[in-house]
């Protein structure tokens, strides 16, 4: 499992470095990478359920909505989806980083750190697809976002469930619909 994560990280570094050269980033469209990140998010949920001490404080976190309204999605272009997904990833990154500050359980802290790394990797994957970039969504710790695309959860287990659902839903749909992936698969 760690070997695959390391391999993905090395691949992303090469892609990132390659972006500074003449040739553009090569799109990463293989959904097995996303499946790996989903499995690791689910593993974090399992670790959380087994955690007996140092498992984080009860705290509220702002996270993206995970429900998909297919009627709205049909009328939204891929760049609009990309902005929504990038904003959601930013919210998850922020929430996971804040949660990690309250955790002293080593296996759980390692799992959260790995999830944060995976969120950053997904950002690089989206960058490789040459989609519209969302502005950074950075919220002060206890501020309420002014978006209807967010929800508030009150515990780390809920946060981890949202992360897993968001990856399986909106991120997967975006990767499947990205024009760079459509060209690559045809």
């Amino acid at each position: 499992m760690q070997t695959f994560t390391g391999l993905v990280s090395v691949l992303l570094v090469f892609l990132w470095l390659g972006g500074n050269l003449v040739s553009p980033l090569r799109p990463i469209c293989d959904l097995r990478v996303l499946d790996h990140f989903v499995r690791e998010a689910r593993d974090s949920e399992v670790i959380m359920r087994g955690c007996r001490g140092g498992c984080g404080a009860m705290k509220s976190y702002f996270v993206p909505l995970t429900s998909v309204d297919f009627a709205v999605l049909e009328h939204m272009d891929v760049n609009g989806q990309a902005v929504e997904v990038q904003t959601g990833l930013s919210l998850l990154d922020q929430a996971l980083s804040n949660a990690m500050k309250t955790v002293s359980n080593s296996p759980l802290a390692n799992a959260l750190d790995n999830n944060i790394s995976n969120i950053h990797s997904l950002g690089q994957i989206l960058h490789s697809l040459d989609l519209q970039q969302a502005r950074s969504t950075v919220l002060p710790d206890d501020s309420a976002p002014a978006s209807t695309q967010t929800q508030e959860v009150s515990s780390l287990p809920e946060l981890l469930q949202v992360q897993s659902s968001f990856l399986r839903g909106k991120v997967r749909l975006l990767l499947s619909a990205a024009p760079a992936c459509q060209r690559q698969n045809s």
Side-chain angles (χ1 to χ4, degrees), residues 13 22 47 53 95 105 110:
V13 167
V22 176
I47 292 169
N105 177 287
N110 289 339

Side-chain angles (χ1 to χ4, degrees), residues 131-183:
L131 297 170
Q132 180 175 335
Q133 298 293 309
R135 293 186 232 267
S136 177
T137 305
V138 178
L139 302 169
D141 284 341
D142 296 320
S143 70
S147 170
T148 58
Q149 295 299 315
T150 61
Q151 62 182 327
E152 186 175 1
V153 296
S154 58
S155 69
L156 185 51
E158 286 179 281
L159 168 57
L160 294 172
Q161 288 173 348
V162 166
Q163 176 195 4
S164 181
S165 295
F166 189 76
L167 297 180
R168 287 190 330 264
K170 291 185 177 181
V171 175
R172 178 174 295 281
L173 287 171
L174 176 61
L175 291 178
S176 299
C181 295
Q182 298 299 317
R183 286 190 299 271

Side-chain angles (χ1 to χ4, degrees), residues 1-2 5-6 9 36-37 40-41 44 96 100 108-121 163:
M1 202 60 98
Q2 291 289 41
T5 301
S9 297
H36 174 75
F37 293 158
E40 288 191 346
S44 296
L96 289 166
M100 198 162 122
L108 183 56
N110 289 339
L112 291 177
D113 187 49
N114 194 39
N115 286 341
I116 292 167
S117 175
N118 290 347
I119 296 291
H120 292 176
S121 295
Q163 176 195 4

Side-chain angles (χ1 to χ4, degrees), residues 64 82-96 118-124 126 166-167 171:
V83 168
E84 184 176 340
V85 166
Q86 290 166 338
T87 301
L89 290 174
S90 178
L91 286 168
L92 286 170
D93 176 39
Q94 201 170 346
L96 289 166
N118 290 347
I119 296 291
H120 292 176
S121 295
L122 281 168
Q124 289 297 315
L126 293 180
F166 189 76
L167 297 180
V171 175

Side-chain angles (χ1 to χ4, degrees), residues 5-20:
T5 301
L7 183 61
V8 169
S9 297
V10 168
L11 173 65
L12 290 173
V13 167
F14 282 127
L15 287 173
W16 180 72
L17 289 173
N20 293 331

